[in-house]
Amino acid sequence: MAARRALKAVLVDLSGTLHIEDAAVPGAQEALKRLRGTSVIVRFVTNTTKESKQDLLERLRKLEFDISEDEIFTSLTAARSLLEQKQVRPMLLVDDRALPDFKGIKTSDPNAVVIGLAPEHFHYQILNQAFRLLLDGAPLIAIHKARYYKRKDGLALGPGPFVTALEYATDTKATVVGKPEKTFFLEALRGTGCEPEDAVMIGDDCRDDVGGAQDAGMLGILVKTGKYRAADEEKINPPPYLTCESFPHAVDHILQHLL
């Protein structure tokens, strides 16, 4: 591997990496404190669409993570920005808890379809409404296309299969705004003064977290928590810079080898 510049920024996934629903990954809070004791800039990047950024922040603070709102960059933030740029009225297929992040966006007489993780809305009648809008020329915007995610009771379908179903039925292609899109990672770094070559991404999703970050020019560290399954690291090329047990182990490696 070619010599890299000194590490200046660490991007950290949330769900599956720092926590799983309302339980922190063991040792994650202390590991974050150790990382903050260095000179690197820390940002938190998430595809979660199950709740607003404020609700997510409250969840993290209850788990005793020292995180501020301006350090979190979500796919909901990126989606709202795109809607404002396109000046469209979306049919929002998102969890009701995520709606505060779209406050002020007009949704009457929709002319676009936005899909996040919305289990309560993924039924035939609603999906058929979206299908008809897309047939009439409405753009399809996917907040992300994750195949699945980790819950306390096991793995569960993400929004990706439903986005793909609508793409297939309407012969169209979704605009994806979350990870693994290169623009998502670049936006997350904006304002830090860091280039992708200065950064490392830590996450539990080999394709979306690690593969996306490495495609953007960063190093990618895959952790074996959350949605990780055996041999995930073989699903991308090049493989992850590092695969390790958990976020605390990733921080150990950074402190010992990248600073």
Side-chain angles (χ1 to χ4, degrees), residues 3 11 22-23 33 45 49 69 76-77 80-81 92 108 121 135 176 179 184 197 223 231 240-241:
L11 303 186
D22 291 320
K33 289 179 183 177
V45 292
T49 64
E69 185 174 357
L76 291 174
T77 307
R80 182 189 177 107
S81 177
L92 289 172
S108 59
H121 301 308
L135 283 183
V176 183
K179 297 178 287 185
F184 179 89
E197 295 77 14
V223 294
Y241 160 74

Side-chain angles (χ1 to χ4, degrees), residues 34-238:
R34 288 189 287 123
L35 187 60
R36 288 197 185 279
T38 71
S39 60
V40 300
I41 296 169
V42 182
R43 291 290 183 269
F44 303 91
V45 292
T46 176
N47 268 353
T48 186
T49 64
K50 300 189 299 292
E51 56 197 342
S52 68
K53 182 189 283 191
Q54 191 58 47
D55 288 346
L56 175 61
L57 185 61
E58 289 178 15
R59 180 196 296 265
L60 294 167
R61 286 177 172 168
K62 285 179 182 177
L63 294 175
E64 299 183 350
F65 285 107
D66 176 22
I67 296 175
S68 62
E69 185 174 357
D70 61 359
E71 292 178 314
I72 300 174
F73 185 71
T74 79
S75 51
L76 291 174
T77 307
R80 182 189 177 107
S81 177
L82 182 63
L83 291 174
E84 291 173 340
Q85 290 173 30
K86 288 183 172 292
Q87 296 184 322
V88 291
R89 303 178 303 277
M91 175 185 183
L92 289 172
L93 290 180
V94 300
D95 193 291
D96 291 346
R97 292 171 295 173
L99 291 176
D101 282 10
F102 295 97
K103 186 177 180 180
I105 297 287
K106 293 181 179 178
T107 58
S108 59
D109 189 22
N111 59 0
V113 175
V114 174
I115 298 188
L117 181 61
E120 299 302 316
H121 301 308
F122 288 159
H123 57 77
Y124 185 87
Q125 184 177 352
I126 293 292
L127 289 172
N128 205 48
Q129 289 179 29
F131 163 72
R132 290 173 177 175
L133 282 172
L134 297 173
L135 283 183
D136 288 340
L140 176 60
I141 299 169
I143 300 178
H144 63 91
K145 285 185 74 174
R147 294 166 171 82
Y148 50 85
Y149 68 105
K150 181 66 178 289
R151 300 191 313 204
K152 284 185 289 188
D153 62 352
L155 295 177
L157 284 173
F162 301 93
V163 175
T164 301
L166 287 172
E167 288 179 320
Y168 174 75
T170 59
D171 197 25
T172 189
K173 201 73 179 165
T175 298
V176 183
V177 296
K179 297 178 287 185
E181 297 304 302
K182 181 178 180 179
T183 52
F184 179 89
F185 291 98
L186 297 181
E187 280 294 305
L189 281 181
R190 190 147 59 121
T192 66
C194 302
E195 297 297 324
E197 295 77 14
D198 305 326
V200 63
M201 170 76 204
I202 305 171
D204 67 316
D205 188 310
C206 192
R207 292 186 179 95
D208 290 356
D209 293 332
V210 176
Q214 293 190 159
D215 286 346
M218 305 176 187
L219 293 179
I221 297 179
L222 178 65
V223 294
K224 295 182 178 181
T225 52
K227 68 169 63 174
Y228 174 85
R229 304 191 77 190
D232 272 358
E233 56 268 37
E234 299 172 11
K235 293 178 179 177
I236 61 170
N237 186 28

